[in-house]
Amino acid sequence: MTATPRLFLPLLAAGQAQKHVTHNDALTRLDALVHLTVDSCSQGTPPAVPTELSAFIIPPGATGAFAGRTDQIALFEDGGWTFLVPRPGWQAWVTDESEHHLWTGSEWRRDSPLSSLGASLWGVNGTADVTTRFVVQAPASLFNHDGAGHQLKLNKAVAGETASLLFQDGYSGRAEIGLAGDDDLHCKVSVDGSAWAEALVIDAATGEVSLPATPWASGGNLLLNGDLQINQRGFAGGALAAGIYGFDRWKAGPVGATLAVAGYDLTLSAGALVQPVEPALWGLSSFAGLPLTLSVEGLSGGALSVTVGSVSGSIAAGTGRRSVKLTPAAGDTGALSVSLTPAGPAVTLRRIKLEIGRRASTWAARPATLEELLCARYFWRPESAIALDAYQAAGGAVGQTLMLPARMRATPSAAFAVSGTVNVAGGSPALIVLSRREARASVTASAAGRVQASFGSIAFDAEL
């Protein structure tokens, strides 16, 4: 054996000449390693003018004489560098950090975070890593006050990042509370750590509370027939010319539209689908300056461009309910056009919703009879014909009053076709609109006797 097993001190050999040299080397090594002090554990380049007190723990990526000696101890002795491979338990005081380090066998680790630098990794009964740098594995943890109150602070760099408490089951997320992606307070839950349902949002600017996943607390839909299930015109899908209505309340934009509906899935292939929305219908004088959120479900195929009045935004494709917040400008008064346009190729989506507020809430359909009445305020087509059958003198009128199911938005125009006429004077069939709620069908007898006529394909139109 030529050196000691722990500190690698050189040993005197039997019959060795100049024993004082070996002895002095051992003393020099002891002088360096006992109460070892190094200048730095982060300096990767040897100093230009080292002294007999120069010592370093060599970091990764070192250069010069330190190259390739990561984690070794460099000691300047007798005008040159000596390198020692540490053993587990070796300790060193790092001067430029004012920290005590120890070698674990695989890394130099701060023994105790006494200075402002702290420990880069800290595990209590657990192993920390470069992502989770502080780990506590215990039945409970306590953060106590130091004289009065106590705050646990979670800080993020910018509004678009996340500062939250994440509750996990088997390291899979189940609930999260915090500032997730903005500065509003969010509370959301998940059954699998992948799909999340937002239960509560508190607006940072106003303190407004919304419950996006709670049907009874959801915002009302300002759009009519948002699921396109009402189809009084019998539109079979396909191309719509500019400004022409297909499914109730939905018309084609300025360059037309191509669409199809299968169940609740709307596929919009080209052009824009538009619905004019009246603030007066919802008890408002204007939408100007009012934050609105438009949302759809299961958007696939690409992004969806959305315009409300003069403001526009985009909804990215993805599962679940996707949304964009838009605030109409000061000049956006009166009825506003809500326009949906594929940003690229055809898109498929379901259940379109426009609501007041900054958050998208869950879909909540109105009762079918109420939805039909709201649509009938703009367009109504009776499901049956009006049959006129009476005896009348020549030139006498035969008529029947028709009550509309809902008071229309404005005095409507009327369209109709007449069939099965008997003894009807030419040019006399008429469907006269008496008011926004009432109309009268009539014919004139050509001669004395029985008069018959059937009014079909009736439609009352007060669309915007």
Side-chain angles (χ1 to χ4, degrees):
M1 180 183 294
T2 60
T4 62
R6 293 180 177 82
L7 297 181
F8 305 108
L9 304 179
L11 295 174
L12 297 175
Q16 177 181 338
Q18 295 186 320
K19 294 181 175 62
H20 67 280
V21 175
T22 302
H23 177 70
N24 288 342
D25 284 346
L27 291 178
T28 301
R29 188 72 50 81
L30 280 172
D31 183 64
L33 293 179
V34 176
H35 300 302
L36 173 62
T37 298
V38 299
D39 298 323
S40 176
C41 64
S42 59
Q43 181 176 325
T45 303
V49 184
T51 70
E52 293 296 324
L53 295 177
S54 295
F56 295 87
I57 294 174
I58 301 175
T63 61
F66 291 176
R69 297 184 178 276
T70 300
D71 292 328
Q72 294 183 22
I73 299 171
L75 302 175
F76 192 74
E77 298 176 341
D78 296 327
W81 291 101
T82 299
F83 300 98
L84 301 178
V85 177
R87 287 178 174 253
W90 282 25
Q91 302 177 46
W93 177 261
V94 180
T95 302
D96 64 354
E97 291 185 0
S98 296
E99 290 285 354
H100 194 222
H101 288 238
L102 60 85
W103 176 250
T104 66
S106 60
E107 65 176 342
W108 284 99
R109 180 179 296 175
R110 291 184 180 91
D111 182 37
S112 178
L114 298 177
S115 76
S116 60
L117 294 174
S120 59
L121 301 175
W122 193 256
V124 178
N125 198 32
T127 302
D129 56 40
V130 294
T131 300
T132 309
R133 300 181 184 182
F134 176 57
V135 173
V136 177
Q137 188 168 306
S141 301
L142 172 64
F143 294 84
N144 196 23
H145 69 85
D146 186 18
H150 183 89
Q151 288 183 322
L152 180 63
K153 298 180 181 180
L154 302 176
N155 183 53
K156 59 181 181 176
V158 294
E161 299 298 332
T162 294
S164 66
L165 296 176
L166 179 65
F167 301 90
Q168 296 182 315
D169 180 352
Y171 298 102
S172 177
R174 291 296 180 268
E176 186 174 9
I177 301 172
L179 311 180
D182 54 36
D183 286 340
D184 297 338
L185 179 64
H186 299 254
C187 178
K188 55 185 180 179
V189 292
S190 174
V191 295
D192 57 8
S194 177
W196 290 83
E198 197 156 55
L200 179 146
V201 180
I202 302 177
D203 187 87
T206 65
E208 175 185 271
V209 176
S210 58
L211 305 171
T214 306
W216 58 263
S218 297
N221 195 354
L222 302 176
L223 297 173
L224 302 184
N225 198 24
D227 54 10
L228 286 86
Q229 298 302 295
I230 300 176
N231 188 14
Q232 295 187 80
R233 295 174 177 85
F235 177 57
L240 272 178
I244 300 301
Y245 280 88
F247 295 94
D248 277 52
R249 297 297 296 123
W250 294 101
K251 65 180 179 179
V255 296
T258 303
L259 65 149
V261 172
Y264 289 96
D265 289 336
L266 162 66
T267 298
L268 186 56
S269 302
L273 195 58
V274 175
Q275 181 172 148
V277 181
E278 284 186 294
L281 179 62
W282 310 109
L284 300 171
S285 60
S286 170
F287 290 123
L290 193 64
L292 302 175
T293 298
L294 190 139
S295 61
V296 299
E297 286 180 12
L299 178 60
S300 63
L304 180 69
S305 296
V306 177
T307 300
V308 178
S310 65
V311 293
S312 300
S314 180
I315 302 177
T319 58
R321 184 149 286 272
R322 318 281 291 181
S323 66
V324 61
K325 184 186 78 172
L326 299 170
T327 301
D332 288 330
T333 58
L336 297 186
S337 287
V338 176
S339 176
L340 310 178
T341 310
V347 297
T348 299
L349 54 103
R350 292 183 296 276
R351 298 187 173 103
I352 310 162
K353 186 174 185 179
L354 179 69
E355 57 193 305
I356 298 171
R358 297 170 175 83
R359 296 290 162 192
S361 63
T362 187
W363 172 263
R366 283 181 283 262
T369 52
L370 175 57
E371 197 75 15
E372 290 171 357
L373 284 173
L374 288 170
C375 289
R377 184 174 184 268
Y378 299 87
F379 181 87
W380 181 58
R381 174 168 284 168
E383 295 182 357
S384 59
I386 298 176
L388 299 182
D389 190 349
Y391 286 87
Q392 186 58 274
V398 176
Q400 181 176 323
T401 299
L402 178 64
M403 297 300 298
L404 280 61
R407 186 171 182 265
M408 300 196 77
R409 180 192 65 83
T411 302
S413 62
F416 64 97
V418 177
S419 62
T421 59
V422 175
N423 193 25
V424 172
S428 68
L431 183 60
I432 301 171
V433 176
L434 304 176
S435 70
R436 294 161 64 180
R437 188 66 188 273
E438 187 178 9
R440 183 173 178 80
S442 66
V443 295
T444 300
S446 177
R450 188 177 185 182
V451 180
Q452 290 180 312
S454 178
F455 283 71
S457 301
I458 298 172
F460 297 93
D461 193 338
E463 287 283 13
L464 288 159

